[in-house]
Amino acid sequence: TFEIQKPEQVLVRLRVEHSGFTTLNGQRFGAMFVGEVANPSDILLFHRKRQIDPSKSGTNASAVASALAEPLPPEDLADINVEDLILDN
């Protein structure tokens, strides 16, 4: 039988797309939540966008690739980081 070891703690995973940005240390970030979440060492899951290969796609692939080539700068979230968002909630 399966038994939950710490039912009062939640499991948290945030998938963070970081293309064009630097990452932070996920274990150091999770250390702030030891005792509050069930998985403090693997809260953040970093990934990058896939590169679109125009030779394998249709004719519109080059337009899509050029539109998505650079990430759009966040206007309202420029001064907010992940830690602030989590601490507020």
Side-chain angles (χ1 to χ4, degrees):
T1 63
F2 180 75
E3 185 176 317
I4 298 175
Q5 296 176 355
K6 297 181 181 179
E8 69 278 357
Q9 293 182 346
V10 296
L11 181 66
V12 179
R13 288 207 174 101
L14 299 173
R15 189 168 184 218
V16 181
E17 192 272 316
H18 69 96
S19 299
F21 299 99
T22 60
T23 61
L24 55 105
N25 187 330
Q27 290 182 342
R28 185 176 293 167
F29 177 81
M32 296 187 293
F33 304 101
V34 170
E36 297 178 34
V37 299
N39 60 331
S41 63
D42 60 346
I43 292 175
L44 298 177
L45 302 171
F46 293 105
H47 73 97
R48 293 181 185 224
K49 280 187 184 176
R50 286 187 187 175
Q51 297 295 328
I52 299 174
D53 188 5
S55 64
K56 293 182 181 179
S57 300
T59 58
N60 198 16
S62 62
V64 172
S66 64
L68 299 176
E70 295 197 19
L72 299 174
E75 297 167 5
D76 296 334
L77 300 175
D79 296 329
I80 298 175
N81 58 27
V82 175
E83 291 93 351
D84 293 338
L85 291 173
I86 291 176
L87 291 176
D88 288 343
N89 295 318

